[in-house]
Amino acid sequence: MRGDPDPGDSSVERLTPRVRRLILLRHGQTVYNATQRMQGQLDTDLSDLGVEQARIAGESMATRSPLVILASDLRRAHETATAVGTVTGQDVTTDQRLRETHLGDWQGMTHADVDAAMPGARRHWRDDATWSPPGGESRVDVAARMVPVVAELVAGLDDWGNGNDPDAPVVLVAHGGCIAALTASLLGLPVANWPILGGLANTAWVQLSGHSTTDTDPPVWRLDVWNASAESAVQ
C-alpha cells in the first residue's frame, strides 16, 4: 500500500473514544543501501539521494503536525528525523532501543558475501523471526527492546490521541527491519506470520492506530498504512 492515509477515516474511528496515531518512518538511503551491503548497527551516513529523500519526507510529515519526533541514535535515522524536525520546528529525541537489528558477523558484508559464506542463510533469516545471524539479534529480540518505547510514550503523553489535535501522530524514525518487527509485535501477529510484512523503501513509512475504549486501557493496534512514501519525486 502506498500513498497518504485517508484523512476521512477520522469520523468513523472516533467510534473508539481514543485513537493514537503512530508513524514509523524509515531513514533515507545510505551508500550501504545502494550497494546491497548489510548495515545492522554500523553507524552510516545518508547518501546525497538519502539527504534529498529525508528533506521530502520531512515536508510530508510536517503536514501531519507530529506531536513528538523520536529517532534511533544511529546517524542515518537521526539525520532523517532532523530533516523532519527542521520543517516542523521540533527537537528530535534519540533512543538507542530504536536501532536496527544487530546483524552480528554479517555487518559490513554484501548480500553476495553472506550468500557465499552461508548459502541459504539470508532466506532462512527472512522466513523465521526467531532466527538470528551469528552474533546478532532475531526480529523477536528486536521487538522486545522496541515495544517498551511505545508503551512509555502511551503512558507519558497525555495529549496523544487527545486534546486540541487528537490526530497528531507520534513519529518514530528508525530502520526497515526493526520497524517490521515492532509492527508485527504491536499487531499481535503470531511470530510464525511476522515475515508476511514486506520490506520498506527508504523514507517509506508505516501508520498504526492504537484504539482505547478508556483513557486507562492499553491501546489495541491496527495497521492503517504500510510502505507509504513521498520519495517518488526524487526517483
Side-chain angles (χ1 to χ4, degrees), residues 67-194:
L67 186 63
V68 297
I69 305 168
L70 186 64
S72 159
D73 64 341
L74 297 178
R75 285 197 303 272
R76 58 192 185 270
H78 185 252
E79 290 169 5
T80 302
T82 299
V84 179
T86 296
V87 182
T88 64
Q90 292 171 284
D91 293 330
V92 173
T93 303
T94 59
D95 193 317
Q96 67 180 14
R97 292 175 293 177
L98 300 180
R99 288 182 179 183
E100 180 60 294
T101 310
H102 197 297
L103 297 179
D105 295 348
W106 291 1
Q107 294 190 162
M109 299 174 69
T110 65
H111 295 181
D113 291 337
V114 174
D115 292 343
M118 299 181 64
R122 282 199 308 125
R123 180 170 184 173
H124 186 60
W125 171 57
R126 181 193 67 193
D127 293 341
D128 184 355
T130 68
W131 193 87
S132 57
E137 294 178 294
S138 71
R139 274 167 286 171
V140 171
D141 295 331
V142 173
R145 61 172 161 83
M146 292 186 72
V147 168
V149 177
V150 177
E152 290 164 17
L153 291 166
V154 168
L157 293 175
D158 291 339
D159 288 341
W160 194 9
N162 210 352
N164 293 330
D165 189 2
D167 285 329
V170 166
V171 176
L172 304 186
V173 185
H175 312 265
C178 70
I179 287 174
L182 176 61
T183 299
S185 185
L186 289 177
L187 293 175
L189 296 180
V191 172
N193 293 345
W194 284 21

Side-chain angles (χ1 to χ4, degrees), residues 2 27 30 48 59 80 102 106-108 115-116 133 136 140 148 166 175 177 188 197 217 225 228:
R2 300 179 71 85
H27 60 79
T30 68
D48 290 343
E59 293 175 352
T80 302
H102 197 297
W106 291 1
Q107 294 190 162
D115 292 343
V140 171
H175 312 265
L197 295 174
D217 285 344
V225 172

